[in-house]
Amino acid sequence: MTRALVLGAGIGGLSAAARLAHAGYQVQVHERLPRPGGRSNLIERDGFRIDTGPSILLMRDIVEGTFADVGADPAEYVSIRRLDPAYKVFFADGSRMEAKVDRAELRAELDAIEPGAGARFDDFAEIGGRLYRGAREHFVERNFRTLREMFGISNLPQFVSLRVYEPMHKLVGRHFSDERLRQLFTFNAMYIGMNPFTAPAIYALLPYNDTVEGVHFADGGMYGLVEGLVRLCQDLGVEIVCDHPATGVIERNGRAAGLRFADGDLEADLTLVNADWPWAQRRLLDREPRHPLPGRKLRYGPSAMNFYLGVRGDLSGLRAHNVVFGGDYAGNFADVFAGRVHERPSYYVHVPTLVDPSLAPDGHHIAYVLVPHSNSDAPIDWASERDRVRDYVLTDLADKGFDLRDRIVLEEVIDPPRWAEEFSLERGATFGLSHGVSQVGYLRPHNKDPHLDDLYYVGSSTHPGAGVPMVMLSARLVTERIADEHPPVRLGQVVHG
Ligand SMILES: Cc1cc2nc3c(=O)[nH]c(=O)nc-3n(C[C@H](O)[C@H](O)[C@H](O)COP(=O)(O)OP(=O)(O)OC[C@H]3O[C@@H](n4cnc5c(N)ncnc54)[C@H](O)[C@@H]3O)c2cc1C
């Protein structure tokens, strides 16, 4: 049988392993951390089960497709439901609103902020829907093996119709004049680590996704999805070995011949690297990570300062997803992307226990706080920055009526340097390489190595990009490519030629 080794059991690696096994490869996954999931990991302590990374589940069809495409019933592996409201928003002037699922209710919420905005939302959502469907068809759900495939005559009109060269905040600004709604419909760019003020308008597909396609939740939290993927892999015969870091790739006669480990080498017919692409270039292949086009510099996304709190007592008044805007929206992003500290940042609070109480002991909740932050490359004193951001968030939440300070029974923090070291992320960039127009499609690191045969990549810093559904698509695209270039030889099959 054709033997495939997968380096890394992130959501991308697990999704690819399942697809490869289903296609007829013999698959083994080797993971450095004690449990699978990668960034989507777990803090499990004192009866709490807290997700470390992703929390907002979008594009349900792609998530469920990962199971259905390999002949499994998604419902047997993961239980997903849509959240209503998608999130609650706290604006800096003290006003609040909820992103309701029902269109009439959502319109009323928007009208209360800016009269007439509800009707204009319909038009905005229509554009967002077109961008979403167009982006998926022309840019996201396909492999780009040559520059021509991306910039060829047949694809060029899409660059115009998909508003690749217009900034997202301008498109939003044409529909909504109240600053609060402009924030509401641009902050979502941060889902992929983009600055709303430089993100191209195509990313207006993100607020469309939230409000129209829906924000979903997996029972058991995001790790419930990881567990579903692990079970799927096992049912398909994939072997997952944790606590087993690879130290390099075996390079022989111009091809990757497997992986190196401290306890010996493992040979394979093909090797699929799920570890963060730039991290893997530097640490496993001993190369400087380079942009696919000669002479262009790679751009890295930002990071996050995460606080994971186990809290005694009630958190009603919050929703599962809460976005809290600081006073200086533009300045906040300017600082994050320039490697500076921002005094009063916007942040996000996830309370999964409002949806799935089994994630905490009786009478307790989880408050997962994510503060978008410059990455670990920034010249920042991280120990004092951690304390400063913690004080700011807890005081700000108390001012809003949610005083957690005397109720915290469990606390952990992951700051940008910890994202880098513990989760093997170059510069601690939580969403990997940035997603500007110069770094998507063919211009993003490819899923096949340009120098070594039989070496492939899956995950956030490769095409199509970051986010749970995107890395699942990345898994689909790379396995399609592998099956095409390296069809599996099954046991008993006679190989000719
Ligand atoms: C704080 C945070 C919040 C996020 N929020 C969201 C969200 O709400 N919604 C969303 O859709 N996405 C979100 N994301 C993004 C999403 O989590 C990622 O895009 C996705 O999980 C990445 O999966 P991956 O498979 O590409 O990489 P990873 O999860 O990084 O997996 C790579 C794996 O490779 C392993 N590895 C590295 N080196 C080695 C080695 N030498 N040997 C063996 N194994 C190795 C790593 O340990 C890791 O397990 C968030 C990410 C973070 C960090």
Side-chain angles (χ1 to χ4, degrees):
M1 262 176 116
T2 307
R3 182 175 159 85
L5 284 182
V6 180
L7 184 155
I11 289 177
L14 293 171
S15 306
R19 286 177 179 276
L20 285 171
H22 177 70
Y25 298 84
Q26 184 195 14
V27 188
Q28 217 178 47
V29 183
H30 292 267
E31 167 56 50
R32 190 185 144 260
L33 294 170
R35 65 169 112 219
R39 280 164 254 204
S40 187
N41 227 283
L42 204 54
I43 296 165
E44 208 167 17
R45 221 165 58 218
D46 306 336
F48 289 91
R49 185 183 141 104
I50 310 180
D51 282 312
T52 52
S55 56
I56 297 174
L57 191 57
L58 299 173
M59 304 183 198
R60 178 181 186 153
D61 66 308
I62 296 175
V63 175
E64 293 186 331
T66 297
F67 296 87
D69 287 354
V70 298
D73 175 3
E76 282 185 16
Y77 291 87
V78 59
S79 162
I80 295 177
R81 58 180 119 161
R82 184 169 183 179
L83 295 181
D84 188 11
Y87 39 78
K88 183 166 181 173
V89 184
F90 296 77
F91 295 108
D93 67 353
S95 57
R96 298 170 181 193
M97 70 156 283
E98 294 190 334
K100 301 276 199 194
V101 168
D102 178 78
R103 183 64 67 92
E105 285 183 64
L106 176 61
R107 276 201 215 104
E109 293 266 345
L110 299 174
D111 282 337
I113 294 180
E114 178 187 328
R120 283 194 300 283
F121 173 77
D122 288 342
D123 181 39
F124 178 65
E126 201 271 319
I127 294 174
R130 253 188 292 132
L131 294 174
Y132 177 59
R133 289 183 293 275
R136 280 186 65 166
E137 181 183 346
H138 298 288
F139 289 109
V140 172
E141 297 204 42
R142 53 182 289 199
N143 272 309
F144 291 103
R145 298 179 202 212
T146 63
L147 195 60
R148 252 222 350 244
E149 277 181 313
M150 178 143 162
F151 293 102
I153 285 291
S154 62
N155 224 30
L156 277 186
Q158 306 309 330
F159 284 88
V160 180
S161 71
L162 294 177
R163 299 172 187 257
V164 169
Y165 295 110
E166 181 188 13
M168 176 178 183
H169 77 100
K170 281 207 170 145
L171 172 68
V172 172
R174 277 205 301 279
H175 288 81
F176 308 104
S177 42
D178 190 288
E179 175 57 21
R180 290 167 296 177
L181 295 188
R182 291 179 172 183
Q183 294 175 4
L184 176 70
F185 292 120
T186 54
F187 84 87
N188 336 57
M190 274 306 289
Y191 291 173
I192 49 167
M194 288 294 289
N195 181 343
F197 292 90
T198 55
I202 188 172
Y203 291 128
L205 63 83
L206 289 166
Y208 161 81
N209 229 279
D210 280 356
T211 45
V212 181
E213 300 281 327
V215 169
H216 295 87
F217 183 86
D219 281 351
M222 200 61 88
Y223 209 78
L225 173 61
V226 172
E227 287 169 334
L229 284 171
V230 167
R231 214 149 39 82
L232 179 73
C233 284
Q234 286 164 344
D235 289 351
L236 290 163
V238 174
E239 191 186 347
I240 302 173
V241 186
C242 287
D243 261 328
H244 200 221
T247 53
V249 171
I250 306 169
E251 300 182 28
R252 189 183 300 139
N253 303 327
R255 64 175 288 268
L259 291 171
R260 295 196 188 286
F261 298 89
D263 54 358
D265 290 356
L266 280 178
E267 302 258 339
D269 299 296
L270 64 94
T271 304
L272 176 59
V273 172
N274 172 225
D276 181 44
W277 184 88
W279 181 278
Q281 298 303 299
R282 208 185 286 289
R283 328 255 162 165
L284 300 170
L285 287 147
D286 208 14
R287 303 171 182 162
E288 186 60 28
R290 291 197 196 287
H291 192 283
L293 294 188
R296 291 203 81 119
K297 262 183 78 168
L298 281 178
R299 291 177 187 278
Y300 290 83
S303 187
M305 182 83 84
N306 280 79
F307 300 92
Y308 309 93
L309 310 175
V311 179
R312 195 177 47 244
D314 190 41
L315 279 183
S316 56
L318 289 173
R319 297 292 192 170
H321 301 295
N322 307 275
V323 180
V324 183
F325 288 110
D328 177 9
Y329 187 63
N332 189 170
F333 287 106
D335 285 342
V336 164
F337 286 86
R340 293 187 298 258
V341 159
H342 187 79
E343 288 303 317
R344 299 184 58 76
S346 300
Y347 58 96
Y348 157 79
V349 184
H350 178 39
V351 189
T353 35
L354 291 171
V355 191
D356 184 348
S358 76
L359 299 173
D362 278 353
H364 292 76
H365 279 287
I366 290 168
Y368 158 126
V369 178
L370 184 157
V371 186
H373 210 287
S374 36
N375 65 37
S376 63
D377 219 24
I380 288 173
D381 172 353
W382 293 104
S384 62
E385 177 63 354
R386 278 197 305 268
D387 292 345
R388 187 194 72 78
V389 176
R390 178 188 186 277
D391 280 356
Y392 159 72
V393 168
L394 290 180
T395 308
D396 193 59
L397 279 174
D399 291 347
K400 290 179 165 53
F402 309 100
D403 197 345
L404 315 183
R405 287 171 294 195
D406 293 331
R407 304 197 273 138
I408 296 172
V409 298
L410 177 155
E411 180 165 356
E412 191 146 341
V413 53
I414 304 185
D415 64 1
R418 190 170 164 200
W419 280 118
E421 290 311 317
E422 194 170 321
F423 294 86
S424 313
L425 302 178
E426 187 76 12
R427 303 189 190 191
T430 38
F431 304 93
L433 292 172
S434 92
H435 296 75
V437 267
S438 65
Q439 235 165 229
V440 290
Y442 184 81
L443 307 180
R444 204 166 179 77
H446 302 168
N447 52 18
K448 181 178 166 57
D449 192 79
H451 308 293
L452 292 175
D453 285 340
D454 306 332
L455 180 58
Y456 295 87
Y457 300 97
V458 62
S460 295
S461 285
T462 66
H463 174 63
V468 169
M470 287 302 105
V471 301
M472 287 180 147
L473 265 184
S474 163
R476 195 189 94 198
L477 295 175
V478 76
T479 46
E480 281 171 10
R481 187 164 191 172
I482 290 171
D484 197 24
E485 297 175 357
H486 216 304
V489 178
R490 293 184 170 79
L491 272 183
Q493 184 177 338
V494 179
V495 186
H496 299 281

